[in-house]
Amino acid sequence: MIIQLDLESDIPIYRQLVNQIIEGIATGLLNPGEQLPSVRSLAADLGINLHTVNKAYTHLKQEGFLQIHRQKGALIQPHSMPQADTPFKHKLMAEVRPLAAEAICRGMNEDAFIAACRAAYSSIHHNKGGTTP
Amino acid sequence: MIIQLDLESDIPIYRQLVNQIIEGIATGLLNPGEQLPSVRSLAADLGINLHTVNKAYTHLKQEGFLQIHRQKGALIQPHSMPQADTPFKHKLMAEVRPLAAEAICRGMNEDAFIAACRAAYSSIHHNKGGTTP
Amino acid sequence: MIIQLDLESDIPIYRQLVNQIIEGIATGLLNPGEQLPSVRSLAADLGINLHTVNKAYTHLKQEGFLQIHRQKGALIQPHSMPQADTPFKHKLMAEVRPLAAEAICRGMNEDAFIAACRAAYSSIHHNKGGTTP
Amino acid sequence: MIIQLDLESDIPIYRQLVNQIIEGIATGLLNPGEQLPSVRSLAADLGINLHTVNKAYTHLKQEGFLQIHRQKGALIQPHSMPQADTPFKHKLMAEVRPLAAEAICRGMNEDAFIAACRAAYSSIHHNKGGTTP
DNA sequence: GTGGTCTAGACCACT
DNA sequence: GTGGTCTAGACCACG
């Protein structure tokens, strides 16, 4: 799986890493039980600090997307992916609200806004079933 | 208009302020041309520093949502709100994508995700036309 | 002479007033020895604070463009307009330099920059000889 | 690159900083991609507060002259400098006009005025290609 | 009284 | 060590 970082972005690198790994799981590029590169090698590949990779992995572990074994390294949660429980739904709403508000101020009607959301969802989900390179 | 800050949140206070003011405009609680409290009074009301309020106001001014008059204080942009131009649409997609990805991982299907987005949009837009308290 | 203020501008109102009066003199809309409206009436006409008008007049007096008589009010310097002495030339250079620098950064060549300066000069000077409304 | 501040000037310190950095880019003293001192070290060097430097850097970032990396610090925009678009040309005209008007009042003819503008442009541009000290 | 600027000192997130 | 954020207190320009 290819990870593309934007070092000039306002988004912290570890956050970009988290997002892309989650996206990888969502698209099926990363499958449950699959091995992830070690902190060291991934950091080397991406040319970033190994603390940064570590922070991303830790974050993903706390969210339940990863398991971290001391020797075997990290692997995608093999059994039970985290669910869309109410806390997550609240978080989702809390993050979408400000976007919706700004969209409304800028004159986007509901259809246009929903179309954008649907496009975002589809652009990820349509890839599902892809092979693991 | 009532502003509710969460000082514990990891979202910067000035950002929360920005979001809530945009939301206020979107709902119609704040109308174009309407006066906003002075940085000092709002800071006092919210129990935060005036520089924090100032940062939020300045940010909103640069985005085109506010006008800042030298001594009349700040008011909601009376004429042309910023438009939903391509940069904004890109930003919107970029922020929705990771949310969609996580939703997919957590097993939300497209309908459920879209329903959440629509709920967020509606919860703001339905208030439109409300009186100015 | 018509004065057009932009209350939303970053430029202080008194400064806009100063600039427009100087421009009026430059175009010949205001002639040496001519009477200016009283502080009170001008302030009323423009809908601004009378301190603001007063500040503009005082500023122009210090620069030598106006005479202020206690009873007769203000009039355009009848005899010797200030000259383009070295202090002024220094000031002029000091204000043009940053503009030139930014223009260079933005890829304007010398001709384009000079053309803009010449256009600014001409747009004022060409009006010269106009009647005093 | 040497920065010279006038703490007595009525031009805000952060503005002087902005201007001098833009001038540095224009002269070629600062080259695209080049590293700038950290806010802390520059503030220490200049004997001013780090927030003042930060304000200048942030301003330049928003204008597109700088990139700010989270911990690499600031560097001159490596790729595409901002362009001389119409907004900039309008701003340029708006700032040159009052200068031209005063020059006319003071009896400078067009040639003299243009000569001054050309001198300002040349004094910056002629240094172009200089080495980076 | 309003925002604009500057200073000072602190804590945190990021790498 | 870097920038980002927040607080606090001060002075000034503006109107």
Side-chain angles (χ1 to χ4, degrees):
Chain A
M1 177 185 169
I2 296 170
I3 292 198
Q4 200 65 23
L5 297 179
D6 177 6
L7 300 179
E8 310 166 17
S9 165
D10 296 1
I11 302 165
I13 296 176
Y14 91 94
R15 206 73 192 77
Q16 295 183 47
L17 207 46
V18 165
N19 286 342
Q20 297 210 17
I21 291 173
I22 290 180
E23 200 169 300
I25 301 172
T27 58
L29 278 174
L30 298 172
N31 297 301
E34 188 174 337
Q35 190 81 27
L36 257 57
S38 76
V39 173
R40 276 194 161 68
S41 70
L42 184 52
D45 280 3
L46 298 173
I48 60 179
N49 194 298
L50 100 188
H51 289 26
T52 310
V53 177
N54 195 38
K55 182 161 190 173
Y57 278 13
T58 305
H59 190 93
L60 285 162
K61 176 190 163 199
Q62 284 170 338
E63 296 264 322
F65 291 107
L66 248 58
Q67 280 184 0
I68 300 184
H69 292 357
R70 218 175 307 283
Q71 302 294 352
K72 290 163 42 185
L75 40 100
I76 307 294
Q77 183 65 262
H79 311 303
S80 59
M81 270 286 150
Q83 290 307 301
D85 46 12
T86 28
F88 171 71
K89 282 177 183 160
H90 285 345
K91 186 195 117 190
L92 180 59
M93 288 292 283
E95 301 206 26
V96 174
R97 267 181 79 90
L99 297 174
E102 185 168 355
I104 291 171
C105 287
R106 290 175 181 269
M108 277 179 95
N109 61 24
E110 183 164 347
D111 287 345
F113 179 73
I114 292 300
C117 295
R118 198 181 294 275
Y121 188 99
S122 299
S123 73
I124 294 163
H125 196 247
H126 278 173
N127 300 357
K128 200 117 187 187
T131 59
T132 318
Chain B
M1 177 186 171
I2 297 169
I3 293 197
Q4 202 64 24
L5 297 178
D6 175 6
L7 303 181
E8 313 285 307
S9 166
D10 50 352
I11 301 169
I13 295 177
Y14 89 94
R15 208 70 193 77
Q16 295 183 46
L17 243 177
V18 165
N19 286 342
Q20 297 209 17
I21 290 173
I22 290 180
E23 201 168 299
I25 300 173
T27 57
L29 278 175
L30 298 172
N31 297 302
E34 187 173 337
Q35 194 80 27
L36 258 57
S38 77
V39 285
R40 280 179 172 77
S41 68
L42 184 52
D45 282 2
L46 299 174
I48 61 178
N49 192 281
L50 93 176
H51 287 112
T52 308
V53 178
N54 193 33
K55 184 165 188 175
Y57 277 14
T58 305
H59 191 90
L60 286 164
K61 173 191 166 196
Q62 284 167 339
E63 296 266 315
F65 291 108
L66 251 57
Q67 278 183 3
I68 299 183
H69 283 26
R70 214 166 304 284
Q71 71 294 353
K72 282 167 39 187
L75 35 101
I76 309 295
Q77 181 72 24
H79 311 303
S80 60
M81 275 285 149
Q83 291 306 302
D85 47 12
T86 22
F88 171 71
K89 283 176 183 161
H90 284 346
K91 188 195 114 189
L92 179 61
M93 287 294 284
E95 303 205 27
V96 174
R97 264 183 81 89
L99 298 174
E102 184 167 354
I104 291 170
C105 287
R106 289 174 181 269
M108 276 180 96
N109 62 24
E110 183 163 347
D111 287 345
F113 179 73
I114 292 300
C117 295
R118 198 182 293 275
Y121 187 99
S122 300
S123 72
I124 295 164
H125 197 248
H126 277 175
N127 301 358
K128 201 119 187 185
T131 60
T132 318
Chain C
M1 177 188 170
I2 297 169
I3 291 196
Q4 201 65 24
L5 297 178
D6 177 5
L7 300 180
E8 309 166 17
S9 165
D10 296 1
I11 302 167
I13 296 177
Y14 91 94
R15 206 72 193 78
Q16 295 183 47
L17 207 47
V18 165
N19 286 343
Q20 296 210 18
I21 290 173
I22 289 180
E23 201 169 298
I25 301 173
T27 58
L29 279 174
L30 297 172
N31 297 303
E34 188 173 337
Q35 190 81 26
L36 257 56
S38 75
V39 172
R40 278 194 159 66
S41 70
L42 184 52
D45 280 3
L46 298 173
I48 60 178
N49 193 298
L50 102 189
H51 290 26
T52 310
V53 178
N54 196 38
K55 181 161 190 175
Y57 278 13
T58 305
H59 191 92
L60 285 162
K61 176 190 164 198
Q62 284 170 339
E63 296 264 323
F65 290 108
L66 249 57
Q67 280 183 1
I68 300 183
H69 293 357
R70 217 174 306 282
Q71 301 295 351
K72 288 163 45 185
L75 39 99
I76 308 294
Q77 183 62 262
H79 311 304
S80 57
M81 271 286 150
Q83 291 306 301
D85 48 11
T86 28
F88 171 71
K89 282 176 183 161
H90 284 346
K91 187 196 117 189
L92 180 59
M93 288 292 285
E95 302 205 26
V96 174
R97 266 181 80 91
L99 297 174
E102 185 168 355
I104 291 171
C105 287
R106 289 175 181 268
M108 277 180 96
N109 62 24
E110 183 164 348
D111 288 345
F113 179 73
I114 293 300
C117 295
R118 198 182 293 276
Y121 188 98
S122 300
S123 72
I124 295 164
H125 196 247
H126 277 174
N127 300 356
K128 199 116 188 186
T131 59
T132 317
Chain D
M1 178 188 169
I2 297 170
I3 292 196
Q4 201 65 23
L5 297 179
D6 176 6
L7 302 181
E8 312 285 308
S9 166
D10 51 351
I11 301 168
I13 296 178
Y14 89 95
R15 208 69 192 78
Q16 295 182 46
L17 243 178
V18 165
N19 285 342
Q20 296 208 20
I21 290 173
I22 289 180
E23 202 169 297
I25 300 172
T27 58
L29 277 174
L30 297 172
N31 297 302
E34 187 173 337
Q35 194 81 27
L36 259 56
S38 76
V39 286
R40 280 180 171 75
S41 69
L42 184 53
D45 281 3
L46 298 174
I48 60 179
N49 191 281
L50 93 175
H51 287 112
T52 308
V53 177
N54 193 34
K55 184 165 189 175
Y57 276 16
T58 304
H59 190 91
L60 285 163
K61 174 190 167 195
Q62 284 168 340
E63 296 266 315
F65 291 108
L66 249 57
Q67 278 182 2
I68 299 183
H69 283 26
R70 214 166 304 283
Q71 72 294 355
K72 284 167 37 187
L75 37 100
I76 308 294
Q77 181 72 23
H79 310 303
S80 60
M81 274 285 149
Q83 291 306 301
D85 46 13
T86 22
F88 171 71
K89 282 176 184 161
H90 285 345
K91 188 195 115 190
L92 181 59
M93 287 293 285
E95 302 206 26
V96 174
R97 262 182 82 90
L99 298 174
E102 185 168 354
I104 290 171
C105 288
R106 290 174 181 270
M108 276 179 97
N109 62 24
E110 182 164 347
D111 287 346
F113 179 73
I114 293 301
C117 295
R118 199 182 292 276
Y121 188 100
S122 300
S123 72
I124 294 164
H125 197 248
H126 276 173
N127 301 358
K128 201 118 186 186
T131 59
T132 319

